[in-house]
Amino acid sequence: MSARDTIAAQATPSGKGGIGVIRVSGTHVKTISEGIIGSLPIPRIAKFTKFTGADQVAIDHGLALYFPAPNSFTGEDILELQGHGGPVVMNLLLTRVIELGARLARPGEFSERAFLNNKIDLSQAEAVADLIESASTQAARSAIRSLSGEFAKRVNDITDSLIASRVYIEAAMDFPEEEIDFLKDSRIIEDLECLQGKLSDLLRQAGQGALLREGVNLVFAGRPNAGKSSLMNRLTGKETSIVTDIAGTTRDVIDEHVHMDGIPVRLVDTAGLRDSEDILEKEGVRRAVNEITDADYILVVVDLFAHRNDLASHVSELMTSLPDEIKKLVVLSKSDLCDPLEDNLAIEHVTVSAKTGEGINLLKQRLKSGIGYDPGSEGTFMARTRHLHALQQTILSLDSGLSGFRDNGAGELLAEELRYCQRSLGEITGEFTSDDLLGKIFSSFCVGK
């Protein structure tokens, strides 16, 4: 495969539909267009025409659109053939395009070419896929902001400021005869401290975008019959898990996907944690432990009615058995079965009743707060985990450089750390990105995009 190949793919979902689109990009667009519709359409004007095969027999009737380079999505000549969306028709049309000199596009290859031809940066290319995969209105709006270049503009503005500081510092070191004493120039520290604030704000907003895109893996943990399944059903709004008075009903992992203010949340109900000689229950506990280990957030469910006399010790025992590094929230369930108890827990908790709904809204608020989501956040754009890592690395490098500069006047160290900062930010937009990373990113896109 070569970047010079003409590529083709069905741009609409496979299956039956009113309209199906075949997209072609590359140098052979003129030849392919002439072979199928007899001519090259006038740029950007839809032409109703007949699509023909090699024997000049009609395959379909539809619209043809031509976008000449460089003013197209990929920066290359593009031809779109819009016909009826039946799978047989689309296959015949795509086969004819390939006969005339195109090859099947790899997943994401159209967007990859747009990136390589400088039509969009890497964050915008990723936003194309994120917009398609958006599972909520908030996620779609955030993806549009990234696709429009808002995220990249913020990154580029910070990068420009870093470059200006680098130029000043390195010029002072390389040309000492100019007598630029940047060690005594407080402006450098002030400028870089201002960048620290901008980076922290950018990281916060990117974190919101990452939550909207990737969501949260939320796992229920607790002893058998603690009320985990009832709470699961209340949060999903349907009977997802079986609920009985018999301890150990849940033997397998049960998960359900819901949205909380646009955040994709995977709720996971697990077997009660206890020692057992029952083979099935032991396997259920093993799977529960695996899910708990992979959780982003753990709801530690405690039967308030059963443990009203030993609540503090029971909660302490449960918390000790769970991973320290994962965020947790204690949920005291079955509050409808007993009178309010004196609050003697030293850790954050919520009291709920899955039966009556008491405390459920408060629980949702605590969850959103716990995972770091701010529903009132303005201007959130879509982001990915790799973006967060790049921003975090930038902040670490800047902090290290500033610390060395303040303590020891280490200008060389500061200049080097600023170079690392620039490189980390460049990984977001694609200025500094390995071919392996590009392949991994674009291979996750759908075919035709």
Side-chain angles (χ1 to χ4, degrees):
M1 294 185 182
S2 168
R4 295 186 296 273
D5 295 341
T6 298
I7 57 174
Q10 183 175 339
T12 45
S14 58
K16 296 179 180 179
I19 298 174
V21 178
I22 300 297
R23 173 182 280 179
V24 189
S25 179
T27 56
H28 292 159
V29 158
K30 183 176 185 294
T31 302
I32 292 170
S33 180
E34 292 173 344
I36 293 178
I37 66 174
S39 64
L40 193 63
I42 298 172
R44 294 176 185 78
I45 295 180
K47 177 182 180 180
F48 181 73
T49 184
K50 178 173 64 175
F51 305 145
T52 61
D55 55 4
Q56 298 305 304
V57 175
I59 296 173
D60 194 10
H61 290 78
L63 297 178
L65 276 166
Y66 170 54
F67 303 90
N71 299 316
S72 69
F73 175 69
T74 62
E76 304 170 337
D77 287 346
I78 283 184
L79 178 69
E80 287 191 359
L81 304 174
Q82 303 179 10
H84 296 91
V88 174
V89 173
M90 286 289 100
N91 186 58
L92 287 171
L93 195 54
L94 184 57
T95 299
R96 178 60 178 149
V97 169
I98 292 172
E99 287 174 357
L100 290 168
R103 66 164 170 82
L104 284 174
R106 293 179 282 105
E109 192 166 5
F110 289 92
S111 296
E112 182 178 12
R113 290 192 176 191
F115 165 71
L116 295 174
N117 291 328
N118 296 316
K119 302 299 292 185
I120 54 177
D121 65 37
L122 191 54
S123 66
Q124 289 174 296
E126 291 170 309
V128 172
D130 294 338
L131 181 59
I132 294 170
E133 296 172 3
S134 296
S136 68
T137 301
Q138 292 92 328
R141 288 173 177 167
S142 296
I144 282 291
R145 291 190 186 100
S146 290
L147 184 56
S148 299
E150 289 189 26
F151 187 21
K153 183 180 185 303
R154 294 278 298 278
V155 171
N156 290 332
D157 287 347
I158 292 175
T159 301
D160 290 343
S161 297
L162 282 171
I163 291 173
S165 295
R166 282 188 64 194
V167 168
Y168 180 77
I169 294 170
E170 292 182 16
M173 292 189 297
D174 292 342
F175 304 101
E177 65 275 8
E178 298 294 330
E179 298 182 352
I180 302 174
D181 191 357
F182 70 92
L183 293 177
K184 296 181 180 179
D185 191 345
S186 61
R187 187 190 67 183
I188 286 294
I189 292 182
E190 291 172 0
D191 289 347
L192 294 180
E193 286 177 342
C194 180
L195 282 183
Q196 282 180 313
K198 290 181 178 179
L199 281 166
S200 296
D201 186 56
L202 185 61
L203 178 61
R204 179 186 60 79
Q205 287 187 280
Q208 299 294 300
L211 273 177
L212 288 172
R213 179 185 183 274
E214 300 176 7
V216 176
N217 197 33
L218 193 154
V219 178
F220 297 92
R223 300 300 185 209
N225 211 24
K228 300 185 297 298
S229 296
S230 297
L231 187 56
M232 172 83 159
N233 292 346
R234 169 62 73 166
L235 291 176
T236 60
K238 58 184 179 181
E239 295 185 3
T240 302
S241 299
I242 297 175
V243 177
T244 72
D245 293 332
I246 303 172
T249 302
T250 303
R251 300 294 182 90
D252 206 348
V253 172
I254 300 172
D255 65 347
E256 187 72 39
H257 293 268
V258 299
H259 281 84
M260 293 184 183
D261 276 0
I263 310 170
V265 178
R266 177 181 176 247
L267 297 173
V268 185
D269 188 13
T270 62
L273 301 175
R274 69 175 176 182
D275 294 329
S276 175
E277 298 301 320
D278 184 288
I279 296 177
L280 287 177
E281 189 170 2
K282 287 176 69 174
E283 176 61 19
V285 172
R286 184 191 69 80
R287 296 187 182 190
V289 171
N290 288 341
E291 289 290 341
I292 289 169
T293 303
D294 293 335
D296 297 314
Y297 204 92
I298 302 173
L299 282 183
V300 185
V301 185
V302 176
D303 185 340
L304 179 59
F305 179 70
H307 295 282
R308 57 192 180 280
N309 295 324
D310 63 341
L311 188 59
S313 61
H314 179 73
V315 171
S316 176
E317 180 185 352
L318 264 178
M319 297 292 279
T320 303
S321 67
L322 299 172
D324 290 334
E325 67 276 10
I326 301 176
K327 292 183 178 180
K328 309 172 194 67
L329 176 63
V330 174
V331 181
L332 306 180
S333 67
K334 306 183 184 180
S335 63
D336 56 292
L337 297 181
C338 56
D339 296 329
L341 301 179
E342 183 180 349
D343 185 358
N344 60 350
L345 285 182
I347 58 176
E348 182 182 11
H349 62 278
V350 179
T351 302
V352 304
S353 168
K355 182 176 181 180
T356 66
E358 177 193 356
I360 296 298
N361 288 335
L362 177 59
L363 171 60
K364 291 178 179 180
Q365 292 174 13
R366 293 284 181 86
L367 282 175
K368 288 182 287 188
S369 174
I371 62 178
Y373 180 61
D374 178 10
S377 179
E378 294 293 333
T380 299
F381 35 74
M382 193 59 74
R384 300 184 174 207
T385 300
R386 76 172 196 88
H387 300 153
L388 301 185
H389 289 166
L391 288 171
Q392 289 164 351
Q393 187 57 54
T394 302
I395 291 172
L396 286 174
S397 296
L398 182 56
D399 289 349
S400 175
L402 268 175
S403 177
F405 184 66
R406 290 194 192 97
D407 296 343
N408 308 310
E412 296 85 353
L413 174 62
L414 177 58
E416 185 67 5
E417 292 293 356
L418 292 182
R419 186 177 71 84
Y420 290 146
C421 289
Q422 185 181 347
R423 187 174 186 86
S424 295
L425 290 176
E427 291 176 356
I428 295 176
T429 57
E431 183 180 354
F432 300 107
T433 308
S434 69
D435 290 340
D436 288 343
L437 178 58
L438 288 181
K440 183 178 180 180
I441 289 172
F442 287 109
S443 66
S444 67
F445 286 30
C446 58
V447 176
K449 254 310 179 186

